[in-house]
Tab-separated table of all heavy atoms in Angstrom:
chain	number	residue	atom	x	y	z
A	814	LYS	N	65.791	-10.700	35.818
A	814	LYS	CA	66.436	-9.487	35.887
A	814	LYS	C	65.496	-8.401	35.349
A	814	LYS	O	65.437	-7.299	35.988
A	814	LYS	CB	67.696	-9.527	34.913
A	814	LYS	CG	68.496	-8.281	34.913
A	814	LYS	CD	69.750	-8.335	34.123
A	814	LYS	CE	70.523	-7.095	34.100
A	814	LYS	NZ	71.729	-7.227	33.283
A	815	ILE	N	64.778	-8.622	34.237
A	815	ILE	CA	63.867	-7.590	33.729
A	815	ILE	C	62.676	-7.410	34.695
A	815	ILE	O	62.275	-6.266	34.926
A	815	ILE	CB	63.426	-8.030	32.322
A	815	ILE	CG1	64.564	-8.153	31.388
A	815	ILE	CG2	62.251	-7.144	31.883
A	815	ILE	CD1	65.182	-6.788	31.080
A	816	GLU	N	62.136	-8.450	35.193
A	816	GLU	CA	61.031	-8.379	36.010
A	816	GLU	C	61.329	-7.637	37.382
A	816	GLU	O	60.550	-6.768	37.911
A	816	GLU	CB	60.417	-9.733	36.384
A	816	GLU	CG	58.960	-9.772	36.817
A	816	GLU	CD	58.311	-11.158	36.539
A	816	GLU	OE1	58.820	-12.104	36.968
A	816	GLU	OE2	57.250	-11.107	35.820
A	817	LEU	N	62.517	-7.836	37.866
A	817	LEU	CA	63.033	-7.116	39.079
A	817	LEU	C	63.066	-5.615	38.767
A	817	LEU	O	62.713	-4.775	39.555
A	817	LEU	CB	64.366	-7.625	39.575
A	817	LEU	CG	64.960	-7.014	40.758
A	817	LEU	CD1	64.041	-7.200	41.954
A	817	LEU	CD2	66.360	-7.553	40.996
A	818	LYS	N	63.576	-5.250	37.534
A	818	LYS	CA	63.657	-3.860	37.172
A	818	LYS	C	62.291	-3.232	37.051
A	818	LYS	O	62.084	-2.065	37.431
A	818	LYS	CB	64.430	-3.777	35.867
A	818	LYS	CG	64.849	-2.287	35.509
A	818	LYS	CD	65.701	-2.282	34.294
A	818	LYS	CE	66.103	-0.845	33.923
A	818	LYS	NZ	66.982	-0.796	32.797
A	819	ILE	N	61.392	-3.962	36.438
A	819	ILE	CA	59.915	-3.493	36.338
A	819	ILE	C	59.323	-3.172	37.721
A	819	ILE	O	58.818	-2.135	37.946
A	819	ILE	CB	59.022	-4.463	35.549
A	819	ILE	CG1	59.506	-4.664	34.159
A	819	ILE	CG2	57.624	-4.119	35.677
A	819	ILE	CD1	58.798	-5.808	33.422
A	820	ILE	N	59.594	-4.117	38.647
A	820	ILE	CA	59.067	-3.913	40.029
A	820	ILE	C	59.630	-2.710	40.761
A	820	ILE	O	58.946	-1.923	41.393
A	820	ILE	CB	59.256	-5.268	40.851
A	820	ILE	CG1	58.329	-6.325	40.242
A	820	ILE	CG2	58.859	-4.991	42.339
A	820	ILE	CD1	58.513	-7.672	40.862
A	821	LYS	N	60.952	-2.618	40.598
A	821	LYS	CA	61.722	-1.551	41.285
A	821	LYS	C	61.295	-0.161	40.665
A	821	LYS	O	61.155	0.793	41.379
A	821	LYS	CB	63.115	-1.751	41.206
A	821	LYS	CG	63.676	-2.795	42.170
A	821	LYS	CD	65.215	-2.892	42.101
A	821	LYS	CE	65.815	-3.914	43.036
A	821	LYS	NZ	67.246	-4.016	43.079
A	822	ASN	N	60.974	-0.169	39.394
A	822	ASN	CA	60.573	1.127	38.762
A	822	ASN	C	59.177	1.595	39.326
A	822	ASN	O	58.936	2.680	39.634
A	822	ASN	CB	60.437	0.955	37.244
A	822	ASN	CG	61.739	0.892	36.549
A	822	ASN	OD1	62.816	1.164	37.207
A	822	ASN	ND2	61.821	0.640	35.292
A	823	LEU	N	58.299	0.510	39.446
A	823	LEU	CA	56.994	0.839	39.994
A	823	LEU	C	57.148	1.276	41.454
A	823	LEU	O	56.423	2.178	41.863
A	823	LEU	CB	56.065	-0.401	39.931
A	823	LEU	CG	55.433	-0.621	38.580
A	823	LEU	CD1	54.655	-2.041	38.581
A	823	LEU	CD2	54.567	0.486	38.209
A	824	MET	N	57.892	0.632	42.235
A	824	MET	CA	58.131	1.026	43.693
A	824	MET	C	58.532	2.423	43.765
A	824	MET	O	58.108	3.184	44.669
A	824	MET	CB	59.105	0.044	44.309
A	824	MET	CG	58.573	-1.373	44.641
A	824	MET	SD	59.803	-2.382	45.464
A	824	MET	CE	58.706	-3.611	46.075
A	825	THR	N	59.406	2.823	42.833
A	825	THR	CA	59.945	4.169	42.938
A	825	THR	C	58.864	5.186	42.529
A	825	THR	O	58.684	6.261	43.210
A	825	THR	CB	61.143	4.396	41.862
A	825	THR	OG1	62.180	3.547	42.208
A	825	THR	CG2	61.636	5.802	41.826
A	826	THR	N	58.075	4.805	41.561
A	826	THR	CA	56.925	5.660	41.182
A	826	THR	C	55.924	5.848	42.203
A	826	THR	O	55.393	6.920	42.524
A	826	THR	CB	56.206	5.113	39.822
A	826	THR	OG1	57.147	5.059	38.854
A	826	THR	CG2	54.983	5.926	39.479
A	827	TYR	N	55.665	4.751	42.951
A	827	TYR	CA	54.642	4.811	43.998
A	827	TYR	C	55.244	4.990	45.444
A	827	TYR	O	54.443	4.917	46.472
A	827	TYR	CB	53.788	3.488	44.004
A	827	TYR	CG	52.901	3.316	42.801
A	827	TYR	CD1	53.231	2.432	41.737
A	827	TYR	CD2	51.737	4.052	42.635
A	827	TYR	CE1	52.414	2.335	40.698
A	827	TYR	CE2	50.975	3.987	41.575
A	827	TYR	CZ	51.326	3.084	40.579
A	827	TYR	OH	50.550	2.910	39.496
A	828	SER	N	56.438	5.399	45.466
A	828	SER	CA	57.101	5.818	46.744
A	828	SER	C	56.981	4.704	47.768
A	828	SER	O	56.687	4.919	48.940
A	828	SER	CB	56.529	7.118	47.261
A	828	SER	OG	56.682	8.138	46.413
A	829	CYS	N	57.308	3.452	47.358
A	829	CYS	CA	57.295	2.326	48.309
A	829	CYS	C	58.484	1.407	48.073
A	829	CYS	O	58.358	0.170	47.999
A	829	CYS	CB	55.954	1.553	48.272
A	829	CYS	SG	55.654	0.923	46.566
A	830	VAL	N	59.646	2.001	47.908
A	830	VAL	CA	60.911	1.296	47.633
A	830	VAL	C	61.173	0.190	48.729
A	830	VAL	O	61.308	0.589	49.808
A	830	VAL	CB	62.073	2.193	47.305
A	830	VAL	CG1	63.343	1.335	47.048
A	830	VAL	CG2	61.820	3.074	46.166
A	831	ASP	N	61.375	-1.005	48.300
A	831	ASP	CA	61.713	-2.096	49.275
A	831	ASP	C	62.443	-3.193	48.435
A	831	ASP	O	61.842	-4.029	47.858
A	831	ASP	CB	60.433	-2.620	49.923
A	831	ASP	CG	60.699	-3.665	50.969
A	831	ASP	OD1	61.857	-4.288	50.910
A	831	ASP	OD2	59.921	-3.882	51.943
A	832	ASP	N	63.799	-3.045	48.341
A	832	ASP	CA	64.549	-3.978	47.508
A	832	ASP	C	64.388	-5.388	47.882
A	832	ASP	O	64.378	-6.222	47.045
A	832	ASP	CB	66.019	-3.540	47.526
A	832	ASP	CG	66.270	-2.252	46.850
A	832	ASP	OD1	65.361	-1.760	46.074
A	832	ASP	OD2	67.268	-1.597	47.022
A	833	GLU	N	64.367	-5.704	49.253
A	833	GLU	CA	64.262	-7.050	49.706
A	833	GLU	C	62.945	-7.615	49.215
A	833	GLU	O	62.866	-8.744	48.731
A	833	GLU	CB	64.305	-7.047	51.213
A	833	GLU	CG	64.256	-8.519	51.701
A	833	GLU	CD	64.135	-8.598	53.214
A	833	GLU	OE1	63.674	-7.606	53.854
A	833	GLU	OE2	64.687	-9.607	53.815
A	834	PHE	N	61.789	-6.875	49.303
A	834	PHE	CA	60.488	-7.330	48.879
A	834	PHE	C	60.471	-7.543	47.351
A	834	PHE	O	59.876	-8.550	46.944
A	834	PHE	CB	59.516	-6.288	49.246
A	834	PHE	CG	58.028	-6.663	49.069
A	834	PHE	CD1	57.576	-7.995	49.286
A	834	PHE	CD2	57.072	-5.792	48.630
A	834	PHE	CE1	56.333	-8.399	49.045
A	834	PHE	CE2	55.743	-6.178	48.468
A	834	PHE	CZ	55.344	-7.561	48.665
A	835	ALA	N	61.154	-6.646	46.700
A	835	ALA	CA	61.123	-6.832	45.257
A	835	ALA	C	61.830	-8.126	44.819
A	835	ALA	O	61.325	-8.870	43.970
A	835	ALA	CB	61.901	-5.648	44.606
A	836	THR	N	62.907	-8.432	45.436
A	836	THR	CA	63.652	-9.603	45.164
A	836	THR	C	62.854	-10.785	45.502
A	836	THR	O	62.793	-11.889	44.724
A	836	THR	CB	64.957	-9.668	45.911
A	836	THR	OG1	65.723	-8.513	45.549
A	836	THR	CG2	65.880	-10.924	45.534
A	837	LEU	N	62.195	-10.785	46.677
A	837	LEU	CA	61.324	-11.957	47.060
A	837	LEU	C	60.217	-12.183	46.166
A	837	LEU	O	59.893	-13.352	45.786
A	837	LEU	CB	60.781	-11.625	48.447
A	837	LEU	CG	61.710	-11.866	49.708
A	837	LEU	CD1	61.089	-11.293	50.972
A	837	LEU	CD2	62.083	-13.254	49.778
A	838	LEU	N	59.594	-11.133	45.589
A	838	LEU	CA	58.478	-11.266	44.661
A	838	LEU	C	58.905	-11.962	43.363
A	838	LEU	O	58.209	-12.802	42.911
A	838	LEU	CB	57.894	-9.898	44.426
A	838	LEU	CG	56.978	-9.278	45.504
A	838	LEU	CD1	56.487	-7.948	45.027
A	838	LEU	CD2	55.806	-10.182	45.758
A	839	VAL	N	60.070	-11.574	42.920
A	839	VAL	CA	60.578	-12.251	41.699
A	839	VAL	C	60.897	-13.674	41.856
A	839	VAL	O	60.576	-14.550	41.096
A	839	VAL	CB	61.912	-11.535	41.146
A	839	VAL	CG1	62.542	-12.242	40.066
A	839	VAL	CG2	61.533	-10.059	40.814
Side-chain angles (χ1 to χ4, degrees):
K814 183 178 179 181
I815 295 296
E816 205 155 52
L817 181 61
K818 190 172 181 180
I819 293 172
I820 291 174
K821 287 186 175 181
N822 284 352
L823 281 176
M824 284 182 166
T825 301
T826 298
Y827 291 106
S828 303
C829 58
V830 176
D831 187 332
D832 290 343
E833 181 186 29
F834 186 37
T836 302
L837 282 173
L838 284 177
V839 172

